């Protein structure tokens, strides 16, 4: 699916083609496999491996290359490292010409969404996928939302407020992925009620064209080169 110069895709992480036992991890870099090896065996490690396989295949389609041939080009704003590292903002580099695909991935349950671009006018992208039922617990608003956002939700009322709550959280997560700050920055300081913040734009996307369940919401954030 296209949104301007961005490409979006969705897969189920439990798809047979992504299963470690089906050989899906054969395209991964030793750094990626090393991070997985440090995790306890079980569903979380399997989902991590499936996610890395999915995003690598997605990047290969963008770059017109074989998945196993891509070089790692991750970047971490917090530790100041980039290149073949196992964390941070994901990127993969083409073996021919060094073009980098700027990417972001988000998981919710068995679902995984990936967004990416090779547009040189876009510096970074972020995506977040949230289950509407996962954000209504006691105390969430105080920790995650600004006072203005909380006030706005009170005017909407339930159940509409619950879906907007999930949308606001998805926008914040997508924004924080673009900045590289992650949850080192307080989400309650990020005002996601508008269409942009600090030069970073975001949009709520419709999950239906990606065949995602209706209880999920999706937000994409973009930082353009200035």
């Amino acid at each position: 699916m296209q949104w301007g110069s961005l490409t979006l895709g969705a897969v189920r992480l439990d798809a047979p083609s992504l299963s470690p036992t089906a050989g899906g991890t054969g395209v991964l870099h030793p750094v990626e496999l090393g991070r997985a090896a440090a995790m306890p065996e079980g569903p979380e490690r399997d989902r991590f491996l499936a996610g890395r396989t999915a995003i690598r295949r997605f990047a290969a389609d963008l770059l017109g290359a074989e998945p196993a041939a891509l070089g790692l080009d991750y970047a971490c704003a917090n530790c100041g490292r980039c290149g073949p590292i196992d964390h941070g903002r994901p990127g993969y580099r083409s073996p021919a010409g060094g073009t980098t695909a700027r990417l972001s991935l988000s998981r919710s349950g068995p679902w995984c969404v990936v967004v990416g671009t090779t547009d040189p006018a876009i510096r970074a992208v972020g995506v977040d996928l949230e289950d509407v039922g996962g954000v209504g617990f006691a105390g969430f608003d105080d920790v995650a939302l600004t006072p203005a956002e909380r006030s706005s939700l009170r005017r909407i009322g339930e159940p509409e407020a619950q879906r907007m709550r999930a949308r606001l959280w998805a926008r914040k997560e997508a924004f924080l992925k673009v900045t590289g700050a992650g949850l080192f920055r307080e989400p309650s300081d990020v005002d996601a009620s508008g269409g942009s913040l600090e030069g970073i734009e975001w949009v709520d996307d419709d999950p239906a064209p990606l065949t995602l369940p209706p209880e999920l919401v999706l937000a994409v954030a973009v930082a353009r080169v200035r």
Side-chain angles (χ1 to χ4, degrees), residues 15-63:
S17 63
L18 295 175
S19 169
T21 59
T25 59
V27 300
L28 298 184
H29 189 279
V31 168
E32 296 170 307
L33 295 172
R35 178 168 174 184
M39 299 177 178
E41 289 188 17
E44 184 58 30
R45 184 166 80 174
D46 289 347
R47 283 192 292 267
F48 171 81
L49 287 167
R52 284 297 180 96
T53 302
I55 197 171
R56 179 178 278 271
R57 290 176 178 172
F58 182 87
D61 286 342
L62 286 179
L63 294 167

Side-chain angles (χ1 to χ4, degrees), residues 109-125:
W111 289 99
C112 169
V113 170
V114 184
V115 62
T117 186
T118 57
D119 185 346
I122 295 179
R123 177 174 55 81
V125 295

Side-chain angles (χ1 to χ4, degrees), residues 18 26 31 35 41 43 93 99 107 114 118 125 127 143 145 151 153 156 159 161 169 177 180 187 194 225:
L18 295 175
V31 168
R35 178 168 174 184
E41 289 188 17
R93 187 176 61 256
T99 302
R107 298 182 295 168
V114 184
T118 57
V125 295
V127 67
V143 172
L145 305 181
S151 176
L153 288 179
I156 295 173
W169 181 245
K177 287 178 180 180
V225 174

Side-chain angles (χ1 to χ4, degrees), residues 3-198:
W3 178 54
S5 60
L6 300 181
T7 303
L8 288 88
V11 297
R12 282 187 65 102
L13 294 172
D14 54 4
S17 63
L18 295 175
S19 169
T21 59
T25 59
V27 300
L28 298 184
H29 189 279
V31 168
E32 296 170 307
L33 295 172
R35 178 168 174 184
M39 299 177 178
E41 289 188 17
E44 184 58 30
R45 184 166 80 174
D46 289 347
R47 283 192 292 267
F48 171 81
L49 287 167
R52 284 297 180 96
T53 302
I55 197 171
R56 179 178 278 271
R57 290 176 178 172
F58 182 87
D61 286 342
L62 286 179
L63 294 167
E66 290 297 320
L70 301 182
L72 291 184
D73 198 10
Y74 274 59
C76 178
N78 296 309
C79 71
R81 295 176 60 199
C82 59
I85 58 176
D86 64 3
H87 63 282
R89 187 187 301 123
Y92 288 91
R93 187 176 61 256
S94 170
T99 302
T100 295
R102 288 162 293 285
L103 303 152
S104 184
L105 173 149
S106 183
R107 298 182 295 168
S108 180
W111 289 99
C112 169
V113 170
V114 184
V115 62
T117 186
T118 57
D119 185 346
I122 295 179
R123 177 174 55 81
V125 295
V127 67
D128 193 61
L129 186 65
E130 295 293 335
D131 190 315
V132 173
V135 297
F137 55 86
F140 174 86
D141 290 4
D142 292 335
V143 172
L145 305 181
T146 67
E149 289 167 342
R150 295 197 294 271
S151 176
S152 177
L153 288 179
R154 286 193 293 271
R155 291 195 297 272
I156 295 173
E158 302 295 347
E160 292 82 2
Q162 180 71 348
R163 193 165 190 86
M164 179 52 70
R165 185 177 286 112
R167 287 196 181 281
L168 289 169
W169 181 245
R171 293 174 191 172
K172 291 170 190 273
E173 287 272 28
F175 171 85
L176 292 170
K177 287 178 180 180
V178 169
T179 66
L183 293 181
F184 286 97
R185 179 169 174 176
E186 292 291 339
S188 58
D189 292 336
V190 176
D191 184 350
S193 60
S196 65
L197 181 67
E198 298 171 13

